[in-house]
Amino acid sequence: MEKIPTHRYSRTAAILMAAAAVMPLASHVAHADSLVQQEIARRAAQVQEADAALLDGRKLYAEGKFEEAVAEYRKAINLLPSGPVVADRRHAYTGHLVDGSIALSQTYRRVGRYADARQTLSDVIAKDPLNVAAKQQLEYLDDPIRTNPALTYEHTQDSEKVRKQLYRAQGYRDLGKYDEAKEEYKEILRVDRYNEAARRGMEKIADVKSDYYRAAYDHTRAELLMEVDKAWEIAVAPNVNFSEASVNPTIVDVTGALYIRRKLQNIILPVVDFQDVTVDQAIDILRLRARELDTIELVPSKRGVNFVVRTPAVIDADGDAEAGEFGGTAKLGSQTISSLQLRNVPLEVVVKQICDVTNSVTRWKTML
């Protein structure tokens, strides 16, 4: 008697069960491949960034900016991923860093930063113990002939500042701004007391100013001498046609005391300088100068003002008249004017000053 199986065998179901067993393993492998690809892409990007930093460092090195170049070299090395794939590239980057560090140490040594130079060379030797150039630079640091032990970084900074100020002072001097240039030279001497270039610059400025002041002296002297000479000029009467008096309303016929008064007001004396002169002497001078400076009178014989000095007469008990004897008073013409100095004043003012000094009065009238 045959036995009938309780479960019917199905080939399709077996295949499906086998596929279900393999699916988890395939999914894990695909995920792992994705992570590997991401890591490879990340490392490739880091290598590109490191290469770019290296190129920037080489450019800065060529420009002599060693401190910035060393910073870029260090950045490139730090960007490189770890692993034997980039070992050659890391070695090349380190070579650039060593070269830049040695050049930087030389710069430090020239400007007096000896501690920074020694530390930089020590870092190089730590990376490359057999580097001959680094060891030689360390020896130079300890050599007092090649390296000035008294040099400091502050001194080099002051030297650079003085150099720029000298150029600035020279620029001011070329532009004719001598005061600004002199101030720059003073600032230089405050930093560098014995700077010869600053002293020479101030010397040249003093020479230029001296030439100017000498020219100013000559000009001022000439102007003042001209004024003195001008005071001795004899005025010339204008050439006026007498027929104009009938047609020109500005020409007015003035006679009598008003005519004399007008002359006294219009005759201007450039210089009046009386020192210990008598009234008669002063009046003689005024009479002469009035004739020379009278530009109002058109008739030559009537030019000037005729002054007459009279001492008041005193009648005594017998009825006789004697001049200048009242109270023992001396004659007016013999009185002395101790000092009278005036400039550019009308003749009327001079006469009034003389009257005030001698306690006398004036009267104006025409002489027929």
Side-chain angles (χ1 to χ4, degrees), residues 59-70:
K59 182 179 179 181
L60 291 169
Y61 183 92
E63 295 175 356
K65 300 177 180 179
F66 303 121
E67 194 166 13
E68 294 87 343
V70 168

Side-chain angles (χ1 to χ4, degrees), residues 263-264 267-274 277-294 303-309 337 340 342 345-355 362 364:
K263 277 192 174 185
L264 292 170
I267 296 175
I268 305 299
L269 299 180
V271 179
V272 176
D273 190 0
F274 294 152
V277 298
T278 64
V279 174
D280 286 338
Q281 292 173 339
I283 293 300
D284 288 340
I285 295 173
L286 294 180
R287 190 182 293 115
L288 177 63
R289 294 294 286 162
R291 190 176 298 113
E292 295 172 352
L293 300 175
D294 188 359
R303 288 175 184 164
V305 178
N306 186 23
F307 296 97
V308 177
V309 181
I337 302 174
L340 180 61
L342 300 171
V345 293
L347 181 58
E348 182 182 30
V349 174
V350 181
V351 174
K352 185 177 183 305
Q353 292 289 330
I354 294 175
C355 292
T362 57
W364 317 110

